[in-house]
Amino acid sequence: PSAALTLLCGSAAAVVVWKWLGKRQIQKKMEEARRTRDEGVKKMAKAVQQFREQQVSSVQKDAILSLPLLELTGRLQEGSLSPKTVLYTYVEKALEVTQQTNCLRHFIPECEEQLQEIQRQREKGLLYGIPVSIKDHIGHKGHLSTCGLVQCLDALVQEDSVLVKVLKRQGAIPFAMTNVPQSLFNYDCSNPIFGQTLNPFNNQKSPGGSSGGEGALIAGGGSILGIGSDIGGSIRLPSSFCGLCGLKPTAERLSVWNTHLLNVDVCSRPTPVPCTLGPMARDVDSLALCMKALLCQDMFQLDPTVPPIPFNEEVYSSSAPLRVGYYDTDGYFPLPPCMRRVVWETKGALQAAGHQLVPFSPPRIHYVMTELFLKTFFADGGRAWLDVFTGDIVDPSLKSQVNSCKIPSLGKKLLALILKPLQFLLLLKLKNVATISTCRSVKEMWNHHHQIEAYRTEFIARWRELRLDVVLCPVLGPAFTTGYPGKLLTAISSTMLYNVLNFPAGVVPVSMVTEADEEELKLYQGWCDDPWDRTLKQAVAGAVGLPVAVQCVALPWREELCLRLMKEVETLSREK
């Protein structure tokens, strides 16, 4: 017995030591990643200082930062501004913004080589000399695509993604990679390696996610154009939280080759709810210019899976009246009063401008959320997602979802049985993934894919029955207090819907939260004043002065029409 006890104690001690060594190894990797990031920041700060001593005044710097993208490209094309001056102006501003918000994951030192390269190009591309920031997981040769995960800190990307190659051929200068939430499956922006990114308008608030680093950097003035990705709202939510314009195109309108998601090429393989890349900027014209630059022969040749459809300037520039469907709630997760207010105000402005507004109601949103969207990502009960956290530290903002996925199958079935009397409430406000049904066979998976296609057909039929051109609808906002997005996973039904449908959708800021909105929020009860409604109320409180946005939607492959509505909304809101 004493020998057995000694063996048992020794084994327990070995396990404790093994776990401690594993955690220590993780800590070392994270410390090294942060050290590399900090050294890159210092090198860029030194390069900026050397450039400042030679040339640009603070007055010229402010003038450059205030230029809209279209005007800046014009000045660069004509030669009245040099690409070097513009690059270092934005690098300096990015240094300032990331100090306030922690939005940068890494500077791209090769931007100086690209600066030399564009001066050797025979023709100036549409984005000649424009500094561009890119989201962490978009592949850039010689750099990491971390997704906020320790397991991704070992392998450098061997080749630029197609999108980065096209940006460079159009004369753009990728200069920074921005922070993301761990695993990208969160609309906050925090990971254990590089920390929490903050909203530049209010450091108590989140910039949104998963393209939250992009949102914070652009909103803070440290980038004029950024590229994000969207699989559930990851471009549109940061745009809403940070007061930016952002476009989620139809999947495959832009190449996602060599874009890494959860350490595997999920973006480049077939899935019923696909990942898509898209632009983020301060105005709609910038999005249109970016799409026009990217939808070129280089894109179509480098990735033959991208349909060779150039940007249709005629559709974007048209002034013909539009037939616009609208709704202020999808009936799934009631949004704060200010988000519904701006839909009605925008509807009135469009109507006054001569457009035809038609009430529209998206069908069966509860079914879309529980049976289509969430079941797509948790078809295996979340096992594949849990695997990415192996040998990692889970960020606090994700612990509730991770713990839900860890419940054994039998436990989930028992939980579902116990909660059956509350089934209707759970359908209204599914807080986590513990009770989501899974696909138990290949046949069920194929049936799930068929259900998504059938829903798309149903939705398009309703759209065409009303003869709609576009749809105006709400988006989640205003910015949540940090830490709250992880508690309200399915509050993003307003954006998730158009990922399931694979429709182009964009966000435009139109107003700000007022004192009256804040007072009305005190009366907000959602559907039934349950814990989830109260959590949402807490998440958005204290937002006076923060941006409020609307969402614009078009049918697949009609990005230009979506941008056309966005431009109209932007123009009318600025006039107001």
Side-chain angles (χ1 to χ4, degrees), residues 158-447:
Q158 298 302 307
E159 186 179 358
D160 284 342
S161 60
V162 165
L163 190 131
V164 168
K165 287 180 180 178
V166 176
L167 283 171
K168 289 181 176 180
R169 292 187 187 185
Q170 285 285 10
I173 306 173
F175 78 104
M177 304 185 81
T178 51
N179 201 28
V180 292
Q182 188 179 32
S183 83
L184 308 183
F185 199 74
N186 193 354
Y187 61 102
D188 204 339
C189 192
S190 173
N191 65 72
I193 307 168
F194 302 108
Q196 172 78 53
T197 299
L198 306 173
N199 192 304
F201 298 123
N202 182 335
N203 285 352
Q204 302 301 312
K205 297 290 184 177
S206 168
S210 59
S211 308
E214 283 299 317
L217 181 62
I218 300 168
S223 176
I224 195 167
L225 179 65
I227 304 295
S229 65
D230 196 310
I231 200 168
S234 293
I235 288 172
R236 289 160 291 160
L237 293 169
S239 297
S240 171
F241 284 18
C242 293
L244 301 174
C245 297
L247 176 69
K248 179 204 82 69
T250 311
E252 298 179 1
R253 187 80 199 261
L254 297 176
S255 174
V256 294
W257 184 84
N258 205 19
T259 298
H260 303 279
L261 186 61
L262 301 184
N263 203 29
V264 290
D265 289 327
V266 171
C267 282
S268 58
R269 75 183 190 215
T271 173
V273 181
C275 172
T276 181
L277 304 183
M280 299 168 67
R282 284 178 263 172
D283 57 59
V284 179
D285 279 339
S286 298
L287 305 182
L289 177 63
C290 183
M291 292 297 290
K292 187 176 180 180
L294 292 173
L295 295 173
C296 63
Q297 286 305 310
D298 287 326
M299 174 75 74
F300 309 142
Q301 288 170 5
L302 288 167
D303 187 348
T305 67
V306 174
I309 309 171
F311 188 81
N312 191 328
E313 183 66 39
E314 185 179 346
V315 172
Y316 177 61
S317 302
S318 172
S319 58
L322 295 168
R323 187 171 169 88
V324 184
Y326 71 93
Y327 61 91
D328 70 339
T329 179
D330 59 17
Y332 183 80
F333 210 114
L335 297 179
C338 60
M339 307 313 290
R340 300 177 75 168
R341 167 179 66 81
V342 292
V343 171
W344 285 100
E345 290 178 354
T346 305
K347 178 250 181 187
L350 287 168
Q351 214 159 18
H355 301 284
Q356 190 173 3
L357 277 291
V358 182
F360 178 73
S361 179
R364 301 192 293 150
I365 300 299
H366 298 90
Y367 166 77
V368 174
M369 290 298 299
T370 55
E371 290 300 316
L372 301 186
F373 185 87
L374 292 171
K375 199 169 181 179
T376 294
F377 292 95
F378 297 101
D380 62 351
R383 286 189 294 274
W385 184 55
L386 285 178
D387 286 346
V388 307
F389 296 101
T390 303
D392 216 320
I393 295 171
V394 178
D395 192 80
S397 65
L398 283 176
K399 281 189 176 177
S400 62
Q401 281 88 352
V402 169
N403 291 337
S404 296
C405 285
K406 284 182 177 178
I407 299 173
S409 298
L410 180 60
K412 289 179 183 178
K413 288 177 182 178
L414 289 172
L415 185 62
L417 187 65
I418 293 167
L419 295 176
K420 194 170 183 180
L422 301 174
Q423 185 176 15
F424 178 70
L425 178 60
L426 287 172
L427 283 173
L428 283 175
K429 300 282 173 55
L430 192 59
K431 180 186 175 184
N432 54 47
V433 296
T435 57
I436 296 171
S437 58
T438 59
C439 293
R440 290 167 291 184
S441 67
V442 173
K443 183 179 179 181
E444 280 194 21
M445 177 62 83
W446 284 120
N447 184 52

Side-chain angles (χ1 to χ4, degrees), residues 479-492:
F480 279 25
T481 300
T482 54
Y484 274 89
K487 301 174 184 178
L488 290 165
L489 173 62
T490 52
I492 56 175

Side-chain angles (χ1 to χ4, degrees), residues 108 132-136 138-140 164 167 174 176-178 214 227:
I108 301 173
V132 176
S133 51
I134 58 175
K135 189 175 178 177
D136 163 277
I138 297 171
H140 191 291
V164 168
L167 283 171
M177 304 185 81
T178 51
E214 283 299 317
I227 304 295

Side-chain angles (χ1 to χ4, degrees), residues 108-120 173:
I108 301 173
E110 294 88 347
C111 65
E112 295 176 316
E113 296 173 17
Q114 175 64 4
L115 190 62
Q116 303 304 317
E117 177 62 29
I118 64 172
Q119 292 171 353
R120 291 192 291 267
I173 306 173

